[in-house]
Amino acid sequence: MGVSRLDVLYRKLLLTKLFIQGWGKPDDLKRIFELRKVVGNREKCKELVPKDYPVFIDKVDDQSDCKIHNGYFISPLEHIVPGILPSESVKARFQFIVPKKWKNHKPVCIHLAGTGDHFFWKRRTLMARPMIKEAGMASLLLENPYYGYRKPKEQVRSSLRNVSDLFVMGAALILESAVLLHWLEREDYWPLGMTGISMGGHMASLAVTNWPKPIPLIPCLSWTTASNVFTTGVLSKAVNWRELEKQYAMHSVYEQEIIRLLEYCGVDSFKMGQEFLKSSLDTLSGLDLSTDLLGLHDPERDRMGLRTSALHSRAGEGANGQNQLIGRDHNHGLDQMLSSVSSGGPHVSMQHTNINKGGGSGRQRQSLHTESLDFMKGVMDECTHIANFSVPLDPSLIIVIQAKEDAYIPRTGVRSLQEIWPGCEVRYLNGGHVSAYLFKQGLFRQAIYDAYDRYLKKYSNT
């Protein structure tokens, strides 16, 4: 089946570029790749966020049909990998929209934001308030890092400046979702689930992989990895490939060090050539990075200074938020472990490189573009491929909504979610990404209700 013409036209109307600063600092990429090996493992990840992690409500608006609680907390990522989040993104903000009267139980669905979904009004208007009217279900809307109140001053609209920003966003949302799920449990809300549209659906999928209980998940207009989104989908046209190619050519750290940290090698993974692949695998076979560097066994954790008690004490300083921007001591915690995998040299400065963008033959430029595409696919698969994360405890509670002609989320050449999560349901809609977002919100909500009904039938007596 072809792709939606509306998807292609809509993308052409948007002139903004993605990743204008390039790949991001090599040391940041290394640290986030090492963290991925922890958050990709449910048993390890659950140690990172205490069940009593502090959450604060600072304002309540009383509406005719609901109460809107505005709250915040400090992102756990700031404590675990200090300094990797922009300062504007450290404080996580959310809206909790609660019906005045519950119909049955006290169900809550956490909604993560899709690309371009700044602040809360879109999700509140299109999903949360209709869900109160239709099902008496509460919604919690979390603001993405790099968006809305959490957007860095230098960033233009939704255009992430570095490839690494997407990975930092994902790691933060995984940990922040755990904070909110724990908080909702403490407040006796039940059942709990997660959803999101487009990028929000993918981030919700990653977050659910680390929840240690069965949970409804409804990812809409997302699939198994972001690699095809930025290499073959219509968004690939918005990527600043010229800058990415320039940096890849100028700095050997990407080919010599970062590629060796990539672990995902599924049937749809990137191909770097037989000789290079063999040398990379030979190198990786001698390294047990996830065990030696990030294993959360007690002796190693204590030796490196990573203790959940530190999160308890450091995260809870002051309900007014004045003393909460903490954890920038690089001598303790997981950041020390993550930094240990760096090359030992200084950060590579990418902002003042001089290269003749038109230099080289056409064949050389094409080869560089191919290598950059392969590298993009590799790093995207490493941090976003669902197969790199634990399988949710009960995939039968997952209902995936896909558009048949989606030009933003290509499925060709990518492993299916049914293969990775056996037992999940995939529902296909006619049309593309944009038309589904504009006209199919009712079907998204119905899938949420269906998934919650399944949960109640299986677990209401547990």
Side-chain angles (χ1 to χ4, degrees):
M1 181 170 290
V3 298
S4 165
R5 292 183 179 179
L6 178 58
D7 286 359
V8 176
L9 175 61
Y10 183 77
R11 180 58 245 176
K12 287 182 178 179
L13 294 176
L14 302 178
L15 303 178
T16 53
K17 282 285 186 181
L18 296 171
F19 314 136
I20 59 173
Q21 291 287 98
W23 300 103
K25 293 180 181 178
D27 283 359
D28 283 351
L29 285 169
K30 293 176 184 179
R31 291 197 296 164
I32 210 69
F33 289 171
E34 289 305 312
L35 178 62
R36 204 283 309 156
K37 294 168 188 174
V38 175
V39 298
N41 183 301
R42 183 163 47 241
E43 291 304 308
K44 290 182 178 181
C45 188
K46 70 181 184 181
E47 302 290 335
L48 298 181
V49 179
K51 292 183 179 180
D52 59 351
Y53 196 95
V55 174
F56 308 100
I57 300 295
D58 54 5
K59 182 182 178 183
V60 179
D61 293 324
D62 197 346
Q63 304 284 318
S64 60
D65 57 340
C66 64
K67 287 188 176 181
I68 301 177
H69 302 256
N70 293 273
Y72 68 94
F73 56 94
I74 300 304
S75 177
L77 188 62
E78 173 64 9
H79 307 306
I80 295 167
V81 191
I84 202 163
L85 276 169
S87 59
E88 297 91 340
S89 296
V90 169
K91 181 182 284 190
R93 299 176 183 270
F94 65 89
Q95 278 193 353
F96 185 31
I97 303 167
V98 183
K100 289 194 169 181
K101 291 184 179 181
W102 297 95
K103 292 184 178 180
N104 191 18
H105 306 292
K106 295 169 68 177
V108 180
C109 188
I110 297 176
H111 302 246
L112 298 188
T115 302
D117 191 352
H118 294 259
F119 305 105
F120 307 110
W121 68 271
K122 288 182 184 177
R123 285 171 287 166
R124 187 175 62 238
T125 303
L126 298 175
M127 294 293 285
R129 297 193 92 135
M131 287 171 64
I132 286 178
K133 181 178 180 181
E134 295 167 357
M137 184 179 293
S139 294
L140 194 152
L141 318 179
L142 175 62
E143 182 87 272
N144 284 5
Y146 300 93
Y147 276 22
Y149 295 112
R150 307 177 71 183
K151 185 176 78 69
K153 293 181 176 62
E154 319 83 53
Q155 181 179 302
V156 178
R157 294 187 288 278
S158 310
S159 300
L160 298 182
R161 303 170 79 219
N162 303 287
V163 173
S164 61
D165 292 347
L166 182 66
F167 308 148
V168 172
M169 178 193 289
L173 287 172
I174 290 171
L175 299 169
E176 291 166 13
S177 296
V179 169
L180 292 170
L181 288 167
H182 283 310
W183 177 68
L184 291 168
E185 279 196 335
R186 294 200 308 269
E187 298 295 318
D188 294 324
Y189 293 101
W190 180 89
L192 309 177
M194 294 194 68
T195 190
I197 301 173
S198 192
M199 180 179 71
H202 194 81
M203 296 299 186
S205 298
L206 298 181
V208 162
T209 64
N210 286 294
W211 188 242
K213 300 178 183 180
I215 181 173
L217 167 66
I218 308 88
C220 305
L221 308 182
S222 68
W223 203 230
T224 54
T225 178
S227 61
N228 276 19
V229 173
F230 295 104
T231 58
T232 62
V234 292
L235 274 183
S236 65
K237 305 298 182 183
V239 172
N240 186 6
W241 289 108
R242 186 177 292 273
E243 181 64 24
L244 295 177
E245 291 165 15
K246 179 177 73 174
Q247 291 182 8
Y248 188 82
M250 288 287 293
H251 304 293
S252 61
V253 63
Y254 296 111
E255 185 173 359
Q256 295 181 3
E257 296 181 35
I258 291 177
I259 284 179
R260 297 183 181 186
L261 298 176
L262 306 184
E263 287 191 339
Y264 179 69
C265 293
V267 295
D268 57 345
S269 186
F270 70 114
K271 301 294 187 290
M272 300 299 294
Q274 291 184 351
E275 182 177 349
F276 175 72
L277 183 59
K278 182 179 184 301
S279 66
S280 296
L281 293 176
D282 288 342
T283 302
L284 280 172
S285 66
L287 297 174
D288 189 2
L289 294 173
S290 59
T291 300
D292 293 341
L293 293 170
L294 284 178
L296 294 179
H297 308 295
D298 288 339
E300 286 296 307
R301 182 177 59 201
D302 292 344
R303 179 173 67 82
M304 299 309 296
L306 178 64
R307 298 177 177 87
T308 54
S309 60
L311 273 180
H312 282 274
S313 59
R314 293 163 71 189
E317 290 189 24
N320 60 7
Q322 295 300 312
N323 297 317
Q324 293 185 12
L325 302 185
I326 55 181
R328 295 188 182 272
D329 181 359
H330 289 259
N331 295 320
H332 298 286
L334 187 60
D335 187 53
Q336 184 177 2
M337 281 190 287
L338 301 178
S339 296
S340 70
V341 302
S342 302
S343 61
H347 288 294
V348 178
S349 175
M350 306 249 181
Q351 306 204 7
H352 303 290
T353 56
N354 294 312
I355 186 171
N356 182 358
K357 295 183 180 180
S361 68
R363 179 175 297 178
Q364 288 174 328
R365 289 197 298 272
Q366 182 59 41
S367 175
L368 179 58
H369 182 65
T370 300
E371 288 184 32
S372 299
L373 276 171
D374 286 341
F375 185 71
M376 174 72 88
K377 184 166 177 58
V379 296
M380 285 286 172
D381 278 343
E382 174 66 22
C383 289
T384 72
H385 203 299
I386 293 296
N388 248 357
F389 295 78
S390 299
V391 176
L393 287 179
D394 188 350
S396 71
L397 302 177
I398 300 171
I399 300 178
V400 183
I401 307 295
Q402 262 289 313
K404 291 181 180 178
E405 300 173 23
D406 197 325
Y408 282 82
I409 317 291
R411 297 186 299 277
T412 303
V414 178
R415 293 174 67 190
S416 71
L417 272 175
Q418 298 103 312
E419 178 186 347
I420 300 170
W421 291 343
C424 73
E425 178 188 352
V426 180
R427 299 178 180 178
Y428 291 96
L429 307 177
N430 291 324
H433 197 90
V434 175
S435 62
Y437 179 84
L438 293 175
F439 306 117
K440 306 295 184 180
Q441 301 270 347
L443 295 178
F444 300 163
R445 297 195 298 273
Q446 186 58 55
I448 293 173
Y449 309 149
D450 293 344
Y452 274 68
D453 286 344
R454 288 182 192 174
Y455 178 89
L456 289 171
K457 288 177 181 177
K458 293 187 72 171
Y459 299 104
S460 60
N461 295 323
T462 59

